[in-house]
Amino acid sequence: MMSGNEAVARAAWESGLALASAYPGTPSTEILEELTQYPDLNAQWAVNEKVALEVAIGAAVAGSRSLAAMKQVGVNVAADPLMSQSLAGVVGGLVLVVADDVGLSSSQNEQDTRFWGRFAHIPVMEPADAQEAFEMTKAAFDLSEKFETIVILRLTTRVCHVKSLVTVGERRPPNSEGGFTYDPNRWVLVPSTAKRRLPLQAEREKALKAESESSPLNVVEQGSDKRVGFVTSGPGYLHVKESFPDAPVLKLGLSHPAPFEIIRAFAGTVERLVVVEETEKLLETELKAEGIGCTGKDILPSNGELAPEILIPAIAKFLGEPVPVRKLAHDSSLVFPRPPTMCVGCPHLGVYYTLSKLRRQVTISGDIGCYTLGALHPWKALDTTTCMGASLTMALGLDKGRLPKDADKSVVAVIGDSTFLHMGIQGLLNLVYNKGNATVLILDNQTVGMTGGQDHPGTGKDAYGMPAPKVDFIKLIEALGVKPERIHKINPYMMPVLFKTLKDEMAIPEVSVIITDQPCVLIEDHQRFAPYTVIEEACTGCGNCLKTGCPAILVRKRETVAKNGKDQELAFVDIDISGCTGCGLCTETCGPDAIKRMMPPTKTSKEAQAHG
């Protein structure tokens, strides 16, 4: 049993992969994690997707098979080398595996990677399940070397994470002959070179169209019910087969360049042609431009998965038939709602609690990561979040573009350690260079937290968990131009220190950086301490501890009392000691001192140093 991500890794290893580079991002993260388990190849975490693709390009230009993996938004970061290297091509096979987050489980947008195939003039393959992910990964390497081009393998969340049986094979030896060939007319993409490569790119695309027309990855499945024939790809194929098992289906594995002649012939065998594609109206538009009559997004939604509960009523309505009421496999309304929140004892809790106390004095520019949850209740301590690294650049814009209403407000940018290395370094340099007035909070939890705890150059470990050179954030930030006296490293569990430092730096009209330095509670470096408990008779129900947002603090009882002529809501609490990490944040919010540690700390413990 393998997930799609595991199957891609296995197939890449069997294909003679020499190097893989990736930046973690759900739903693609497990591909590189899995590759670290295979011998005879080099798997690396990169600081961002552009770097990952460029490393893979270097290996492919040198003659080795390589792979770059990322989620859909990562392709935006990697677009520069992707668009250029499409002209020069590759020698060793290079597969760019992109996982599209169809349905937005953990992304800021739902973009469709298939567009990049058209934009960069490179082929796109779309597996529907783990077995196909395995087979198409192998086919992608072969196609890449045959046409000397990068090949996009487009997965979706459903393919990445659903497990199924996969039949595997043996590893072929990595490329060992050939090597890098000196050819500045190909590899040095100055304008004159690029112009000469353009016709070659066009010829390659023409040859790829012919390849698509005869590819065994594009398959017609005859059906007995000819009223509607479906053209589909990826998981859309599985949804069609489940919804309409008797319908004719043209399944596109090599979906770009599209095999128009196959599709035209298929259209002639059915009464109506429906394009089922997640998420954009891409193939449908191309077919109509080719004069092939079809429908698709006129009857189907342009976002989310096209599951049977979507397809069946849409096609029934299209055919003028009664719309069936499909019984859902599960009723989500019966599940108690659980809003996303940070972990118990998360080092970010104190940061956002502190920011929430300064809310009226500050505009807060956020970034991508666990700490994006700071925008939610109870902190509500983020004003913007756009993309990786935008907290710092947008902070400069919020500063320089401020109107009189915000003249007295400070600007704070919040970014994580991995995100800072991904795309924040340039933003901080730009902030300093342009004399911005902002306080930057780098929340260093010593891992890529949101994707499951991967390493990066700031953790001192590589993708295999082995020791690696470790970035000194203070030296790096000082090198970017921040004055040494404006750089602070503090323990985020010590909220009075955090509050005072933040207030002091917000008052100074220049760039300052505050680094919080406690590890994510989900990694092995985190030290758990004896839990706290609530002395029931001492709790006054003020509810201040709830404002830290710690999930281990539970409301035991609510009361409404009259105070100064007004009703006041009281919330008496307990602490879930099985979840409490003993961080002590809640004690700093408790006026009546009703929260006590269940066991006293030792004098030599790290906790004792942090909290006295």
Side-chain angles (χ1 to χ4, degrees):
M1 293 289 286
M2 286 185 176
S3 68
N5 284 345
E6 292 168 335
V8 168
R10 172 74 191 196
W13 177 71
E14 288 189 15
S15 299
L17 185 74
L19 180 143
S21 187
Y23 184 79
T26 304
S28 70
T29 307
E30 297 84 2
I31 295 172
L32 193 110
E33 288 181 325
E34 191 67 18
L35 282 168
T36 63
Q37 306 302 311
Y38 290 99
D40 306 328
L41 61 84
N42 189 308
Q44 306 175 354
W45 288 125
V47 293
N48 64 41
E49 296 83 359
K50 176 177 182 290
V51 171
L53 180 56
E54 289 167 347
V55 170
I57 288 171
V61 167
S64 294
R65 286 191 164 185
S66 64
L67 178 149
M70 56 196 67
K71 66 183 299 182
Q72 86 278 10
V73 291
V75 187
N76 305 333
V77 182
D80 202 1
L82 179 66
M83 297 299 293
S84 296
Q85 200 64 28
S86 173
L87 288 169
V90 293
V91 178
L94 199 171
V95 178
L96 171 58
V97 186
V98 183
D100 281 8
D101 190 8
V102 176
L104 291 167
S105 64
S106 60
S107 305
Q108 65 269 40
N109 66 45
E110 191 192 42
Q111 69 188 53
D112 192 331
T113 294
R114 296 178 302 158
F115 277 105
W116 286 109
R118 277 72 172 173
F119 200 12
H121 302 280
I122 57 179
V124 178
M125 291 185 180
E126 296 186 71
D129 57 25
Q131 180 67 49
E132 287 194 358
F134 176 84
E135 293 167 355
M136 288 191 192
T137 299
K138 288 190 162 186
F141 277 111
D142 293 340
L143 192 72
S144 175
E145 290 188 350
K146 180 178 179 180
F147 291 92
E148 297 193 348
T149 177
I150 299 171
V151 175
I152 291 178
L153 185 71
R154 186 223 186 193
L155 311 178
T156 67
T157 305
R158 188 161 295 275
V159 178
C160 291
H161 290 162
V162 173
K163 292 200 173 191
S164 60
L165 286 173
V166 177
T167 302
V168 300
E170 301 293 329
R171 174 168 166 86
R172 56 158 266 181
N175 295 340
S176 58
E177 297 182 356
F180 178 72
T181 302
Y182 175 73
D183 187 357
N185 288 326
R186 179 176 183 182
W187 304 124
V188 183
L189 286 172
V190 294
S192 58
T193 303
K195 286 179 183 176
R196 285 195 295 271
R197 298 295 302 180
L198 280 170
L200 298 176
Q201 184 188 59
E203 289 177 16
R204 183 186 71 201
E205 188 160 57
K206 185 177 179 181
L208 281 165
K209 286 180 180 176
E211 178 81 7
S212 184
E213 294 288 354
S214 60
S215 173
L217 300 176
N218 297 327
V219 181
V220 174
E221 296 182 2
Q222 302 294 344
S224 57
D225 185 354
K226 305 288 187 183
R227 291 177 300 164
V228 176
F230 296 92
V231 179
T232 185
S233 59
Y237 164 76
L238 299 177
H239 296 316
V240 168
K241 291 299 288 183
E242 181 178 347
S243 305
F244 307 102
D246 298 326
V249 179
L250 171 50
K251 177 179 180 296
L252 301 179
L254 177 55
S255 62
H256 177 72
F260 293 125
E261 295 312 312
I262 292 178
I263 299 172
R264 197 186 309 277
F266 176 74
T269 66
V270 298
E271 296 177 19
R272 301 180 185 188
L273 190 66
V274 174
V275 181
V276 177
E277 52 186 336
E278 298 172 339
T279 51
E280 298 282 351
K281 185 182 178 179
L282 200 161
L283 181 61
E284 180 187 347
T285 302
E286 291 181 341
L287 296 187
K288 288 177 177 175
E290 286 287 318
I292 301 174
C294 62
T295 190
K297 295 305 178 186
D298 291 339
I299 60 173
L300 298 172
S302 298
N303 54 71
E305 295 185 309
L306 298 178
E309 57 264 30
I310 304 294
L311 279 178
I312 292 173
I315 297 301
K317 186 176 180 181
F318 176 58
L319 294 175
E321 298 175 346
V323 177
V325 178
R326 181 181 171 87
K327 185 178 180 181
L328 297 177
H330 62 88
D331 186 351
S332 59
S333 66
L334 299 178
V335 180
F336 186 79
R338 293 190 303 168
T341 188
M342 294 182 197
C343 299
V344 173
C346 173
H348 303 336
L349 294 175
V351 173
Y352 282 111
Y353 178 85
T354 302
L355 286 171
S356 69
K357 295 300 178 186
L358 298 167
R359 202 65 190 89
R360 295 181 180 177
Q361 307 169 41
V362 63
T363 303
I364 306 168
S365 176
D367 221 295
I368 303 295
C370 297
Y371 45 90
T372 309
L373 297 170
L376 305 179
H377 178 82
W379 315 283
K380 298 182 179 178
L382 282 184
D383 291 299
T384 67
T385 300
T386 298
C387 62
M388 298 281 275
S391 60
L392 296 164
T393 45
M394 289 181 67
L396 179 63
L398 288 165
D399 171 35
K400 299 298 184 185
R402 72 176 75 207
L403 299 178
K405 180 177 79 69
D406 300 318
D408 296 330
K409 279 190 173 181
S410 299
V411 176
V412 169
V414 182
I415 190 169
D417 48 342
S418 178
T419 314
F420 179 70
L421 295 172
H422 177 280
M423 203 58 78
I425 295 173
Q426 300 91 332
L428 181 57
L429 178 63
N430 190 60
L431 190 57
V432 174
Y433 175 69
N434 289 293
K435 303 179 181 65
N437 175 12
T439 301
V440 177
L441 274 163
I442 299 178
L443 309 186
D444 181 7
N445 63 0
Q446 300 162 30
T447 190
V448 188
M450 195 162 202
T451 50
Q454 290 73 36
D455 286 296
H456 59 66
T459 67
K461 299 175 186 174
D462 63 16
Y464 296 90
M466 301 300 290
K470 183 177 180 179
V471 168
D472 186 323
F473 279 106
I474 291 181
K475 288 183 179 177
L476 173 60
I477 292 162
E478 190 173 339
L480 294 173
V482 181
K483 295 176 182 175
E485 61 270 26
R486 299 272 69 81
I487 305 172
H488 307 271
K489 179 182 281 191
I490 61 177
N491 183 335
Y493 294 118
M494 303 177 72
M495 284 201 292
V497 177
L498 175 62
F499 186 86
K500 183 179 186 308
T501 306
L502 194 53
K503 282 279 289 183
D504 290 347
E505 293 305 326
M506 285 165 50
I508 296 174
E510 57 185 272
V511 177
S512 57
V513 177
I514 301 171
I515 306 168
T516 63
D517 67 347
Q518 290 299 299
C520 170
V521 296
L522 300 180
I523 66 174
E524 60 183 14
D525 292 338
H526 177 260
Q527 188 174 359
R528 190 180 179 116
F529 303 105
Y532 285 88
T533 188
V534 178
I535 309 302
E536 187 173 329
E537 56 272 21
C539 179
T540 62
C542 68
N544 285 338
C545 56
L546 291 169
K547 296 175 183 173
T548 65
C550 180
I553 304 174
L554 310 172
V555 176
R556 170 172 50 85
K557 180 181 65 174
R558 292 188 185 276
E559 284 184 11
T560 302
V561 298
K563 187 174 182 180
N564 299 325
K566 295 182 179 178
D567 287 343
Q568 182 179 356
E569 298 290 335
L570 298 180
F572 298 88
V573 302
D574 276 334
I575 292 178
D576 176 7
I577 61 172
S578 65
C580 177
T581 66
C583 72
L585 273 179
C586 52
T587 65
E588 298 184 31
T589 67
C590 185
D593 198 22
I595 302 176
K596 299 293 186 184
R597 191 182 295 280
M598 297 188 73
M599 293 174 59
T602 62
K603 291 183 179 179
T604 57
S605 72
K606 184 178 177 181
E607 177 190 41
Q609 296 172 22
H611 303 291

